[in-house]
Amino acid sequence: MPDTGMLSQPGPGLPARVKLVEVGPRDGLQNEAAFVPTAIKVELIRRLMDAGITWIEAASFVSPKWVPQMADGAQVLAGIERRDGVVFSALVPNLKGLDAALAARCDEVAVFAAASESFSQKNINCSIAESIERFVPVVEKALAAGVRVRGYVSCVLGCPFEGEIDPAQVAAVTARLHQLGCYEISLGDTIGTGTPLKTRRMIEACANEVPLTALAGHFHDTWGMAAANVYAALQSGMAIFDSSVSGIGGCPYSPGATGNVATEDIVYLCDELGIETGIDLPALAEAGSFISAALQRDTSSRVARALQARIARAARLAAA
Ligand code: HMG
Ligand code: MG
């Protein structure tokens, strides 16, 4: 770490601890052109757990015609080692998906709506209102089975088809999902066009409808603002964030969007702010190196790159 001195207490107004939901195995891999073998997904999840990650979105139970990359969700859930304290979740768009997720012994499921009508149509082939109606029996059945439900709202800071999205519309969909019984609502900047001020305004609108403790930030990093948006959200009092190791990912129905904010970058930010994550950064960076090598590309995490450069420098010095 740089010797700027980590804070032992978080700065004023910042949470003492954050919950990080690792979405790399799902959001990170759903958009890959070539199918990522099940064994690689299972090994990635094992390495993430070794790094201390305890919330993992492992799969999607969606139509394999729509998202072929996630067709092996049942095999991934069957292949992973279950550890005490680690929660595995999966996306479910309808009852068929929920039944598959329950059969696969998911600890949690997530339904996904949007704040943009056009995105809703492109992503799940129905209007926002129809999606909410579709989720009613999904949430009821999941809760009856003792499985908690998370809700997603996409396009909270912009839509690839409609442009600007009114924070009031985001807040309305957020409130609806919360009323349905979703215990946590993840606010997705699907196309990564958000900026800190817009982020704070959007969170404020949602927090007028739903307790702030039930809101999570899900920032894609297309325009390089994701870490800045996380910091703005922390200052707003938000303490739950989604991220993907190595910054992998994107949404198949969001043209041009890149991966989520890299988990390594958020962990470093939180470490430096004195905010506890429970995650070991070097071990996490190794999990990132593993998936980057498997995908045959460099990591998108600036922090992981800096760590790699530091290790290489130290090795050169030791050899000299
Ligand atoms: P549809 O075509 O309207 O559905 O798609 P349908 O009910 O007419 O069914 C069509 C076919 O799909 C049928 O098969 C169904 O059995 C099958 P056929 O009879 O033709 O052989 N099917 C399923 N198969 C497996 N599992 C299921 C399932 N449901 C139907 N659950 C549907 C509607 C919602 C199914 C489709 O649009 C879909 O699967 N969409 C998923 C899109 C997706 O996964 N997008 C990426 C995730 S969202 C995201 O990344 C954003 C997020 O990260 C937050 C952010 O960044 O903003 C969460
Ligand atoms: Mg996403």
Side-chain angles (χ1 to χ4, degrees), residues 102-121:
L102 293 178
R105 295 194 302 118
C106 283
D107 302 303
E108 275 188 11
V109 293
V111 293
F112 48 109
S116 141
E117 283 294 351
S118 317
F119 186 82
S120 183
Q121 289 291 350

Side-chain angles (χ1 to χ4, degrees), residues 26-27 30 61 63 65 94 123 125 154 190 218 220:
R26 192 280 302 172
D27 209 346
Q30 69 182 6
F61 290 96
S63 164
K65 289 182 190 145
N94 51 23
N123 196 39
N125 207 20
S154 283
T190 318
H218 178 109
H220 284 262

Side-chain angles (χ1 to χ4, degrees), residues 87-150:
V87 175
F88 292 106
S89 65
L91 292 194
V92 297
N94 51 23
L95 278 169
K96 185 171 179 139
L98 174 67
D99 289 340
L102 293 178
R105 295 194 302 118
C106 283
D107 302 303
E108 275 188 11
V109 293
V111 293
F112 48 109
S116 141
E117 283 294 351
S118 317
F119 186 82
S120 183
Q121 289 291 350
K122 293 262 198 257
N123 196 39
I124 49 175
N125 207 20
C126 62
S127 69
I128 298 170
E130 284 163 347
S131 75
I132 301 287
E133 283 315 305
R134 194 180 282 175
F135 298 151
V136 172
V138 174
V139 176
E140 271 173 13
K141 189 168 181 179
L143 294 180
V147 167
R148 294 207 295 179
V149 185
R150 196 174 201 239

Side-chain angles (χ1 to χ4, degrees), residues 56 68 96 108 114 138 141 159 165 178 198 239 263 274 286 301 314:
I56 302 178
K96 185 171 179 139
E108 275 188 11
V138 174
K141 189 168 181 179
C159 167
I165 296 290
H178 195 247
K198 285 182 181 170
T263 312
E286 277 179 29
S301 162

